[in-house]
C-alpha cells in the first residue's frame, strides 16, 4: 500500500449516509429536485473535515488534497490531478492548459454544452480561444462529418488552429445522456490524427460510469483530460478535480493561480470530497432508478419527454401535455405550495421544458410526492 493510498483509505467510513435527508421548514418536508447541487453534507463528511490533516496547498503541502488528487488520477488512469474550487474553473483550467502554446487556438464544442451555455463565455473572454459550435443529436453524439468540416490546421492564415474538442458526459441539457467508451475513443482517435486534444466536461462522469457499468479509467481512456465535480451527485459541498498528463496538470495549476483558485488549508474541504468519491459512487444507481421511475410515470400520464422517455442517469426533462390544467409558468409554485417539491422550469423548446434531478437527499417518498403532484395538478 502506498502512503497516499493509506491516507485516502481512512475516508472510507461506514454508515455515512441516510437516504432522503430532506430540508424542512416549520416541520414541513421539502423535496428539492432543482439540481443535484443542493445536497447537504452528511455527518460522516463533516466528521472527515474535523479529522483532516492540512497544509498550504498553494505550496503543495496539504496532504489531504495530495491524497485526493493521487486517488482521482489513479481512478481515471491518468498521470496527475488538480483540485479546484468549481467545475467551471476546472473546465477553464483545462482549456487554458490545452491551448497554452497556441495563441490562435479554436476549440470544437457542442452547441448545447454546459461550457458553451453556462460558463460565462470564459473560453473567449478569459482564455482568448475561439469556438466552433456544432450540434449534438439527442444522444449527445457529434456527427463525425461536422467535426471534419470544423477542423482547420494552421497552414492557412485565415483560420484559427483547431486545438481542442470538448465533450460532456453526462450531458446536462440532453437529459443526463451517457456517452459510451467506444464513442469517446473514436473521438480521441480522430483528434489524435489531427493533432488535437479531447477534454471531457465530466461534472457527472461518475453517473455515466455507474449507468454504463464501467470503470472511470476505461470510460475515459480516449480522452486527454476530464473534469469531475464532487458537489453534484457525489454530494460534497464544493470542489472539482481535473485529471490528465503531468505537463497538462502543470499548466493547469498555473492557470488555476491566474484564475484565483489557489487555496491554502483546503484539506478541510477536500476531505469531504475524498469521502464522497470513495463512498457515494455505487449509490448513484438509486438516483438513476428513481429518475427512471419518474420518467416512466410521466410518460404514461401523457407528458412529453425527450428520447421517448428514455433516461440514462439522474436527470429528467419533461413538458406539459396540451390539455394541462396548469400553464407552465404556474407549475413550480403550485408544486411547492401543495406538495413541498421544488422543480426548475424554463428550459429549452421555448421554455416549455422542466428539469428534475434526483440525488442522495431524495428518497422514494419524495419521488412519490413528485409524481403525484405533477400528475394531479396537470392532468384533467
Amino acid at each position: 500500500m502506498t502512503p497516499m493510498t493509506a491516507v485516502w483509505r481512512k475516508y472510507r467510513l461506514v454508515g455515512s449516509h441516510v437516504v432522503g435527508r430532506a430540508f424542512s421548514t416549520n416541520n414541513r418536508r421539502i423535496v428539492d429536485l432543482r439540481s443535484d447541487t443542493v445536497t447537504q453534507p452528511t455527518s460522516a463528511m463533516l466528521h472527515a473535515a474535523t479529522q483532516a490533516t492540512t497544509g498550504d496547498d498553494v505550496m503543495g503541502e496539504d496532504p489531504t488534497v495530495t491524497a485526493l488528487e493521487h486517488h482521482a488520477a489513479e481512478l481515471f488512469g491518468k498521470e496527475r490531478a488538480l483540485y479546484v474550487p468549481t467545475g467551471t474553473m476546472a473546465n477553464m483550467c483545462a482549456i487554458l492548459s490545452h491551448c497554452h502554446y497556441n495563441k490562435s487556438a479554436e476549440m470544437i464544442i457542442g452547441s448545447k454544452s454546459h461550457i458553451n451555455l453556462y460558463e460565462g463565455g470564459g473560453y473567449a473572454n478569459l482564455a482568448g480561444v475561439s469556438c466552433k459550435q456544432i450540434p449534438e443529436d439527442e444522444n449527445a453524439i457529434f456527427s463525425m462529418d461536422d467535426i471534419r468540416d470544423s477542423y482547420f490546421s494552421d497552414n492557412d492564415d485565415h483560420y484559427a488552429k483547431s486545438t481542442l474538442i470538448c465533450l460532456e458526459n453526462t450531458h446536462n441539457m440532453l437529459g443526463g445522456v451517457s456517452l459510451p467508451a467506444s464513442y469517446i475513443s473514436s473521438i480521441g482517435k480522430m483528434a489524435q490524427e489531427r493533432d488535437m486534444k479531447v477534454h471531457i466536461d465530466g461534472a457527472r462522469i461518475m453517473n455515466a460510469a455507474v449507468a454504463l457499468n464501467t470503470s472511470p479509467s476505461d470510460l475515459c481512456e480516449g480522452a486527454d483530460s476530464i473534469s469531475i465535480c464532487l458537489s453534484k451527485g457525489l454530494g460534497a459541498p464544493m470542489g472539482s478535480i481535473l485529471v490528465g498528463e503531468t505537463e497538462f496538470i502543470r499548466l493547469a495549476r498555473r492557470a488555476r493561480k491566474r484564475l484565483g483558485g489557489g487555496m491554502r488549508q483546503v484539506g478541510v474541504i477536500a476531505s469531504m470530497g475524498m469521502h464522497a468519491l470513495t463512498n457515494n459512487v455505487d449509490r448513484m444507481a438509486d438516483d438513476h432508478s428513481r429518475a427512471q421511475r419518474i420518467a416512466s410515470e410521466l410518460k404514461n400520464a401523457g407528458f412529453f419527454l425527450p428520447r421517448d422517455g428514455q433516461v440514462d442517469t439522474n436527470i429528467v426533462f419533461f413538458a406539459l401535455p396540451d390539455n394541462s390544467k396548469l400553464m407552465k409558468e404556474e407549475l413550480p409554485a403550485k408544486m411547492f405550495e401543495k406538495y413541498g417539491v421544488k422543480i426548475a422550469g424554463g428550459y429549452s423548446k421555448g421554455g416549455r421544458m422542466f428539469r428534475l434531478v434526483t440525488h442522495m437527499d431524495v428518497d422514494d417518498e419524495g419521488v412519490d410526492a413528485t409524481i403525484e403532484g405533477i400528475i394531479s395538478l396537470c392532468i384533467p
Side-chain angles (χ1 to χ4, degrees):
M1 182 188 304
T2 67
M4 287 300 98
T5 301
V7 172
W8 71 255
R9 277 191 176 176
K10 78 176 182 178
Y11 292 99
R12 292 194 62 88
L13 302 181
V14 178
S16 61
H17 178 245
V18 178
V19 174
R21 301 165 303 128
F23 176 77
S24 61
T25 304
N26 297 327
N27 296 321
R28 185 190 185 201
R29 188 175 191 274
I30 304 300
V31 180
D32 197 340
L33 290 163
R34 293 172 300 168
S35 178
D36 46 7
T37 60
V38 301
T39 56
Q40 297 294 308
T42 64
S43 58
M45 285 184 192
L46 296 172
H47 176 75
T50 66
Q51 302 299 307
T53 306
T54 64
D56 191 321
D57 183 51
V58 173
M59 298 181 182
E61 295 176 356
D62 192 304
T64 303
V65 173
T66 300
L68 174 59
E69 291 172 342
H70 181 82
H71 175 53
E74 284 191 340
L75 187 64
F76 282 83
K78 305 302 181 184
E79 294 176 357
R80 296 283 301 280
L82 179 69
Y83 183 60
V84 301
T86 72
T88 294
M89 187 179 288
N91 289 331
M92 192 73 260
C93 287
I95 294 167
L96 284 163
S97 180
H98 284 305
C99 301
H100 182 84
Y101 293 112
N102 182 5
K103 298 308 177 186
S104 62
E106 183 167 83
M107 65 180 189
I108 299 170
I109 63 173
S111 60
K112 295 181 180 179
S113 67
H114 196 278
I115 291 175
N116 185 43
L117 295 176
Y118 298 120
E119 299 188 9
Y123 58 81
N125 55 49
L126 295 176
V129 174
S130 65
C131 169
K132 185 65 65 67
Q133 301 172 24
I134 60 176
E136 308 99 324
D137 69 14
E138 66 175 7
N139 296 309
I141 300 295
F142 292 147
S143 160
M144 293 299 188
D145 285 340
D146 282 345
I147 296 177
R148 293 186 188 98
D149 290 344
S150 300
Y151 170 78
F152 294 105
S153 66
D154 61 354
N155 61 2
D156 189 317
D157 295 344
H158 293 88
Y159 303 121
K161 183 183 185 301
S162 300
T163 304
L164 180 64
I165 301 175
C166 292
L167 305 176
E168 185 174 332
N169 197 16
T170 67
H171 198 296
N172 175 26
M173 287 302 294
L174 292 171
V177 174
S178 299
L179 297 175
S182 57
Y183 172 71
I184 296 170
S185 294
S186 67
I187 295 294
K189 183 175 184 295
M190 174 181 283
Q192 188 175 31
E193 291 170 350
R194 290 162 174 78
D195 192 29
M196 289 192 292
K197 300 295 186 180
V198 175
H199 171 66
I200 296 177
D201 174 3
R204 297 181 174 91
I205 193 70
M206 301 309 294
N207 291 90
V210 169
L212 296 167
N213 193 29
T214 188
S215 69
S217 58
D218 287 345
L219 179 59
C220 300
E221 185 178 2
D224 297 284
S225 62
I226 308 99
S227 61
I228 308 104
C229 187
L230 302 172
S231 63
K232 290 188 169 66
L234 290 169
M238 68 169 286
S240 284
I241 297 285
L242 181 64
V243 298
E245 65 178 15
T246 299
E247 176 63 8
F248 165 80
I249 292 296
R250 184 186 75 82
L251 295 174
R253 183 178 292 274
R254 291 175 61 84
R256 185 186 71 174
K257 185 64 175 177
R258 298 199 302 277
L259 294 171
M263 299 171 286
R264 302 299 180 175
Q265 287 72 31
V266 75
V268 173
I269 303 297
S271 65
M272 291 191 270
M274 176 73 87
H275 175 87
L277 196 57
T278 54
N279 289 274
N280 293 344
V281 174
D282 291 343
R283 61 146 311 281
M284 286 178 165
D286 296 333
D287 299 338
H288 301 172
S289 64
R290 291 184 175 111
Q292 288 158 1
R293 183 158 70 90
I294 294 172
S296 176
E297 294 288 348
L298 294 185
K299 179 176 182 291
N300 291 338
F303 292 81
F304 168 79
L305 283 84
R307 302 175 77 213
D308 196 31
Q310 179 182 341
V311 169
D312 292 355
T313 55
N314 67 323
I315 299 176
V316 180
F317 278 97
F318 72 94
L320 304 185
D322 292 337
N323 64 342
S324 173
K325 293 186 295 184
L326 290 181
M327 299 182 66
K328 64 180 186 293
E329 295 82 5
E330 299 174 296
L331 182 59
K334 290 292 185 182
M335 281 292 292
F336 184 65
E337 175 189 340
K338 293 183 177 296
Y339 293 91
V341 176
K342 293 183 178 183
I343 66 174
Y347 285 91
S348 57
K349 299 189 182 296
R352 290 177 55 215
M353 305 296 287
F354 296 88
R355 188 184 75 160
L356 309 175
V357 187
T358 54
H359 50 76
M360 62 193 294
D361 286 355
V362 176
D363 59 11
D364 290 332
E365 183 181 343
V367 168
D368 291 339
T370 301
I371 294 169
E372 178 187 346
I374 294 172
I375 292 177
S376 65
L377 288 171
C378 297
I379 300 301

